[in-house]
Amino acid sequence: MELTLPIQLALIVVVAFLCQWGAWRLKLPAILPLLLSGLLLGGGLGLIDPKAMFGDLLLPSVSLAVSIILFEGALTLKFDEIRGLERTVRRLVTWGALVTWAVVTAATWHFLKLPLDMALLFGALVVVTGPTVIVPLLRSVRPVSSVSRLLRWEGIVIDPLGAILVVLAYELVAATGQGALLHGLWLFAQSMVLGVVIGSLVAFMLAFLLKRHLVPEYLRSFLVLSVVVGEFVLANWLGEESGLVAVTATGIVLANLKGVRTDDILHFKENLSVMLISVLFIILAARLDMAQLAQLGSATLVVLLVVQLVARPLSVWVSTLGSKLNWREKALLAWIAPRGIVAAAVSALFAERLESNGVEGAELLVPLTFSVIIGTVALQSLTARPLARLLKVAEPAPRGFLIIGANPVARAIGKALNQNGFPAMVTDSSWENIRAARMAGLATYYGNAVSSHADQYLDLVGYGKLLAMSPRREMNAVATMRYRLEFGERNVYSLPWSGDKEEKHEIASQHRGGTLFDEDLTYARLASLISQGAEVRKTRLTDEFDYAAYLQVEDRQVWPLFAVDSRDRIHVFSADSRPEPKSGWSLFGLIREDDAKETAKEKNNGDNGNGSALPG
């Protein structure tokens, strides 16, 4: 069935979204359904033909897209994150990469009977891991911070280094004579130095423009994108494959320069990267010849096992000698190393060059690389999370609440959550409020939750929701804007405000998060109720005592705050979303007894004939 070009493009975009959404629902990295979809749409059903669609623009477009993805990943790398782990990162991307290269080369040469030069090229290709597969895998595995940071840094930094290793190996394949190795090493050094110099200069130039606000707010992301694309092309023109080094260096330098705000740029690049990654994997997988993939045979499986069970553990062992990592962390680090978009893209590029030169075995390069990508991603997607739990190096599920404010309202709600298995941490710049919160047994952060100090030292492991409960509405708005990216838009809430309702005085709804509890439960109203004796209580619903009955108990007022379902998941009541509690659920509600009932309760809990109060 032959589809028109617009239909093929639309099909790729729609399928890419469905794969990402399905992977999110199943808690798996999206690369696996993306690759399988590409294989099915291309070589399987023949619905899309990337070569016919893009022609000579295909591989240059792939290279540009990879540069944007790498820049976005590098923009998340802060040196503060790996304090104490710097040596391990350096070893992983140097000695570790060389160990992997050597082991995979030997296995490929021995088991697949490829010429040694082609085995060297394939070994260089599968050295890289990459943020396109590491980051989604980390989201589902949630390992401890030391493992997570090491894997993220390794995946981003090793991508450009791996691409240059491929250039070195390519020179050994394509060049002849005694000077081939020296020429390849010279190209390697030249690409590294050139890329770092260009990338650093571009980063300082961007910092100058951004810090002095020489570009309007709405053009900041466009400026950075255009500069990244321009420097990638320029660096590649000056030195082969130095473009990836340049964009990675720009991202790292820009992320670590003081006074440069990159949050909005990073948000734009993250959205763009998700789309590019999704489309690229489908297009590259669709180029595969299914017959070649089927002809690889069982020897390919042996090579995959060597990559997973020999090369990676040996690489990690060499790289972590003398580090502070324990054996459990090393074991998980040795298991996780999926291959991603850079391996796929670079293999396609160099295979085409070698095939045009008539090099023996070049036609196997792409299917071999994709077999390793599919194998490592499939195996590690299914096993990494159970292994992390078995080794006890997985972070707890994010059940906790970060609460902005440690005032009496925040303390009452935080204490009720904390006592019922939902960790609550309150933040405040008032020492009196923080001291009272500590006396109540709450975790605290003394300081501004949106400060640079909080970015570095506020430990959010186990926390997944934000409740902005400060009496200062501007503080609440800034906090919801800051933590929207951290927790997700559906998990940030702030109290309503009872001030002037004129639109020009109101904070825009997109900056406030969800409206917490109800429109009339402002901070002033909650503080007044608590001062009058209202308490946060937990109540379990049954078939006889359902939600309607809970709301209609005589002689008391109740305001539902949270609902805990039968699977122990907590739902927040808000003006925008009201849970529908069922039998077996538990409710947290702010309850105030009427005066007559309070008097009766006090009499029942009065003295026992000797003036001593009985517990209620």
Side-chain angles (χ1 to χ4, degrees):
M1 180 179 179
E2 192 170 333
L3 302 178
T4 64
L5 181 59
I7 293 177
Q8 290 185 56
L9 290 171
L11 184 62
I12 291 172
V13 174
V14 171
V15 170
F17 168 76
L18 292 174
C19 289
Q20 287 283 358
W21 179 76
W24 170 73
R25 295 286 296 179
L26 297 173
K27 308 296 184 188
L28 292 172
I31 181 175
L32 190 56
L34 287 169
L35 284 174
L36 295 178
S37 297
L39 290 171
L40 184 64
L41 293 176
L45 300 176
L47 296 178
I48 61 175
D49 183 358
K51 290 182 181 178
M53 291 170 66
F54 300 101
D56 294 337
L57 289 176
L58 178 60
L59 293 180
S61 300
V62 169
S63 298
L64 282 175
V66 169
S67 71
I68 295 170
I69 293 165
L70 271 186
F71 172 75
E72 183 268 322
L75 207 56
T76 67
L77 299 182
K78 302 288 182 72
F79 290 129
D80 292 334
E81 291 182 350
I82 57 164
R83 198 162 288 165
L85 299 171
E86 301 95 328
R87 186 173 66 169
T88 304
V89 171
R90 285 197 300 269
R91 286 181 173 182
L92 279 170
V93 300
T94 52
W95 293 111
L98 291 175
V99 167
T100 301
W101 189 13
V103 172
V104 175
T105 297
T108 307
W109 174 73
H110 179 72
F111 293 110
L112 293 176
K113 308 302 180 184
L114 281 182
L116 183 57
D117 50 5
M118 287 300 300
L120 278 167
L121 185 57
F122 175 70
L125 281 169
V126 298
V127 159
V128 297
T129 54
T132 58
V133 282
I134 285 291
V135 173
L137 192 60
L138 292 178
R139 288 198 192 107
S140 60
V141 176
R142 294 200 304 273
V144 293
S145 60
S146 57
V147 175
S148 177
R149 290 168 182 174
L150 281 171
L151 286 170
R152 194 155 52 86
W153 268 84
E154 179 199 12
I156 293 167
V157 174
I158 205 171
D159 266 358
L161 294 179
I164 297 175
L165 281 179
V166 174
V167 174
L168 174 59
Y170 174 76
E171 288 297 319
L172 296 175
V173 175
T176 57
Q178 295 181 350
L181 179 59
L182 289 177
H183 180 63
L185 291 173
W186 165 246
L187 281 179
F188 182 89
Q190 183 186 53
S191 299
M192 284 294 299
V193 173
L194 187 64
V196 170
V197 169
I198 292 176
S200 301
L201 290 174
V202 169
F204 283 108
M205 181 198 74
L206 283 173
F208 177 84
L209 295 173
L210 296 174
K211 287 166 70 174
R212 285 160 179 76
H213 305 287
L214 298 177
V215 177
E217 194 78 15
Y218 73 97
L219 286 179
R220 283 166 55 92
S221 296
F222 192 10
L223 163 73
V224 175
L225 176 63
S226 60
V227 168
V228 166
V229 170
E231 77 163 312
F232 172 75
V233 173
L234 174 64
N236 272 349
W237 180 61
L238 294 174
E240 190 173 12
E241 297 306 317
S242 61
L244 292 181
V245 180
V247 298
T248 305
T250 298
I252 293 175
V253 173
L254 202 60
N256 290 279
L257 285 176
K258 292 184 178 179
V260 182
R261 182 171 58 85
T262 59
D263 291 347
D264 55 336
I265 298 168
L266 185 58
H267 183 56
F268 168 74
K269 292 292 186 298
E270 283 177 343
N271 292 332
L272 183 60
S273 292
V274 169
M275 184 183 70
L276 290 175
I277 290 166
S278 306
V279 171
L280 281 182
F281 271 120
I282 290 179
I283 289 174
L284 290 173
R287 294 180 73 246
L288 275 177
D289 187 336
M290 297 293 285
Q292 287 183 341
L293 201 60
Q295 290 172 3
L296 290 176
S298 58
T300 306
L301 179 59
V302 176
V303 171
L304 175 61
L305 292 175
V306 170
V307 170
Q308 181 70 47
L309 302 177
V310 180
R312 179 61 178 179
L314 190 58
S315 167
V316 169
W317 178 75
V318 169
S319 304
T320 56
L321 284 174
S323 71
K324 295 180 180 179
L325 297 175
N326 60 46
W327 73 268
R328 298 173 186 273
E329 293 168 330
K330 291 179 182 179
L332 186 62
L333 198 62
W335 186 252
I336 299 179
R339 272 57 180 178
I341 191 69
V342 171
V346 175
S347 67
L349 176 65
F350 283 95
E352 188 165 293
R353 293 183 188 178
L354 292 170
E355 284 185 59
S356 63
N357 292 335
V359 175
E360 182 186 354
E363 71 281 357
L364 296 176
L365 206 55
V366 173
L368 273 174
T369 305
F370 269 88
S371 67
V372 171
I373 293 173
I374 296 170
T376 54
V377 170
L379 180 62
Q380 294 167 32
S381 297
L382 297 173
T383 60
R385 179 64 179 167
L387 180 63
R389 288 175 173 171
L390 180 66
L391 293 171
K392 298 180 180 178
V393 287
E395 289 182 353
R399 291 166 54 87
F401 288 79
L402 178 66
I403 301 178
I404 306 300
N407 48 70
V409 174
R411 294 199 300 269
I413 291 173
K415 185 177 179 181
L417 290 168
N418 212 35
Q419 290 175 342
N420 288 278
F422 296 95
M425 180 192 297
V426 295
T427 70
D428 209 308
S429 294
S430 165
W431 174 246
E432 289 76 13
N433 284 343
I434 289 294
R435 182 171 57 185
R438 289 179 179 176
M439 292 293 291
L442 291 170
T444 62
Y445 173 77
Y446 176 45
N448 190 332
V450 296
S451 65
S452 57
H453 184 275
D455 289 341
Q456 185 173 346
Y457 294 104
L458 183 56
D459 187 1
L460 296 177
V461 173
Y463 294 91
K465 288 183 171 59
L466 175 84
L467 306 180
M469 307 187 72
S470 168
R472 298 162 54 200
R473 64 172 176 172
E474 290 80 9
M475 180 68 218
N476 291 340
V478 172
T480 54
M481 291 168 66
R482 158 65 180 83
Y483 289 96
R484 185 189 303 267
L485 293 177
E486 193 84 39
F487 297 142
E489 188 174 356
R490 297 175 58 188
N491 295 316
V492 293
Y493 302 88
S494 65
L495 289 173
W497 186 253
S498 60
D500 196 330
K501 294 297 184 182
E502 284 190 54
E503 184 178 352
K504 64 182 179 180
H505 298 298
E506 280 292 296
I507 296 172
S509 58
Q510 65 266 30
H511 301 321
R512 296 198 305 258
T515 302
L516 199 51
F517 307 140
D518 210 339
E519 290 284 2
D520 63 343
L521 281 183
T522 62
Y523 175 81
R525 174 76 170 140
L526 287 168
S528 174
L529 289 169
I530 289 173
S531 68
Q532 294 171 29
E535 299 176 339
V536 180
R537 299 180 191 169
K538 182 181 178 182
T539 306
R540 186 171 180 80
L541 300 182
T542 64
D543 291 332
E544 295 76 23
F545 186 73
D546 60 9
Y547 182 50
Y550 170 80
L551 296 175
Q552 295 170 4
V553 173
E554 294 183 2
D555 302 324
R556 79 172 190 185
Q557 291 178 286
V558 59
W559 293 267
L561 306 179
F562 308 97
V564 181
D565 63 24
S566 55
R567 297 173 62 183
D568 203 31
R569 297 176 303 185
I570 194 164
H571 306 266
V572 181
F573 279 87
S574 72
D576 317 298
S577 175
R578 312 291 292 182
E580 299 179 2
K582 301 175 178 62
S583 175
W585 287 36
S586 297
L587 291 175
F588 291 88
L590 184 65
I591 296 175
R592 184 178 69 174
E593 308 288 358
D594 286 349
D595 292 339
K597 191 170 183 179
E598 276 296 311
T599 303
K601 183 178 178 181
E602 288 174 5
K603 287 181 179 180
N604 291 335
N605 294 333
D607 62 32
N608 200 21
N610 56 6
S612 63
L614 292 173

